[in-house]
Amino acid sequence: MIEQATTKNGLDFYYKDSPLCWTAAIDSWKFGQTKHLSKMISLFGVPDQIKDFISKIVSGDIKPNMKAAAKLKIPAEERMLIANYATGWLSVCDLILEEGNGRGKGKIGYTDYFDIADKKKIEPIEFKRMIEAKQRKFISGLAEVLNVSTETIEDLIRDFNKYEEFWK
């Protein structure tokens, strides 16, 4: 059973074993929003994967970056949730392109992009460029909706991917 708690402010749900919740809480702490990390710790304790990081916070070795927080274009508590959404969508495209060996089923259960290109009667490189264009369009569309630059979205995704080290 998943252990969870709800609040009326900030993140709506906190899940004990959710790397996303912990990642969002840690990231928002880095920009001075301490309530989410504090709430996660008080509800669930500290997961083994982030004990070193939390001990550095407690000892004062790591401090929130308040200068960077003042420049944020996306609220600190929303950054990793948005990055997770973007990363998930982009990963589907990456999975389609990953299997490009022309030998059958891809990782997501479909034929690889060589076979898809054949069915569309186009060259595989054209299909690959189409998928990459869709990824760029997705990033620019998300940036437009959030009223930020595409570089901001790309930086957000890069920051999100850095947190993977905690959860390996």
Side-chain angles (χ1 to χ4, degrees), residues 86-168:
T87 301
W89 195 93
L90 295 169
S91 294
V92 171
C93 293
D94 289 340
L95 284 173
I96 291 168
L97 296 178
E98 211 169 83
E99 281 294 309
N101 59 20
R103 296 192 191 128
K105 295 286 184 185
K107 285 188 178 179
I108 57 175
Y110 297 103
T111 55
D112 64 23
Y113 82 89
F114 280 72
D115 292 337
I116 296 169
D118 276 346
K119 287 177 185 169
K120 290 183 169 283
K121 299 191 184 327
I122 59 175
E123 290 295 318
I125 192 67
E126 287 179 60
F127 182 73
K128 182 176 183 183
R129 287 181 184 141
M130 284 173 40
I131 296 293
E132 290 169 346
K134 287 185 185 298
Q135 289 178 308
R136 287 189 301 276
K137 186 175 180 179
F138 172 79
I139 289 172
S140 65
L142 184 59
E144 187 177 321
V145 166
L146 296 171
N147 200 25
V148 297
S149 68
T150 56
E151 290 80 18
T152 298
I153 300 298
E154 290 165 353
D155 291 344
L156 203 59
I157 292 167
R158 195 171 13 265
D159 290 349
F160 181 76
N161 290 333
K162 288 178 186 174
Y163 286 108
E164 283 184 1
E165 291 303 313
F166 280 139
W167 310 111
K168 286 185 179 180

Side-chain angles (χ1 to χ4, degrees), residues 9-155:
N9 299 322
L11 295 171
D12 289 330
F13 296 94
Y14 296 100
Y15 292 98
K16 178 180 182 180
D17 296 322
S18 167
L20 176 59
C21 287
W22 284 103
T23 298
I26 289 167
D27 188 72
S28 65
W29 176 88
K30 285 185 172 185
F31 294 100
Q33 299 291 323
T34 60
K35 65 184 174 189
H36 300 299
L37 184 57
S38 173
K39 185 78 169 172
M40 292 282 291
I41 291 171
S42 70
L43 289 170
F44 307 120
V46 179
D48 291 339
Q49 297 94 323
I50 62 170
K51 280 186 178 175
D52 289 341
F53 180 80
I54 298 299
S55 69
K56 289 177 184 175
I57 290 173
V58 172
S59 69
D61 292 343
I62 301 175
K63 297 183 184 337
N65 188 342
M66 301 311 282
K67 259 188 187 177
K71 297 176 186 177
L72 283 180
K73 296 174 181 154
I74 297 172
E77 60 272 7
E78 295 176 16
R79 284 172 35 86
M80 293 299 106
L81 303 176
I82 292 166
N84 179 62
Y85 166 71
T87 301
W89 195 93
L90 295 169
S91 294
V92 171
C93 293
D94 289 340
L95 284 173
I96 291 168
L97 296 178
E98 211 169 83
E99 281 294 309
N101 59 20
R103 296 192 191 128
K105 295 286 184 185
K107 285 188 178 179
I108 57 175
Y110 297 103
T111 55
D112 64 23
Y113 82 89
F114 280 72
D115 292 337
I116 296 169
D118 276 346
K119 287 177 185 169
K120 290 183 169 283
K121 299 191 184 327
I122 59 175
E123 290 295 318
I125 192 67
E126 287 179 60
F127 182 73
K128 182 176 183 183
R129 287 181 184 141
M130 284 173 40
I131 296 293
E132 290 169 346
K134 287 185 185 298
Q135 289 178 308
R136 287 189 301 276
K137 186 175 180 179
F138 172 79
I139 289 172
S140 65
L142 184 59
E144 187 177 321
V145 166
L146 296 171
N147 200 25
V148 297
S149 68
T150 56
E151 290 80 18
T152 298
I153 300 298
E154 290 165 353
D155 291 344

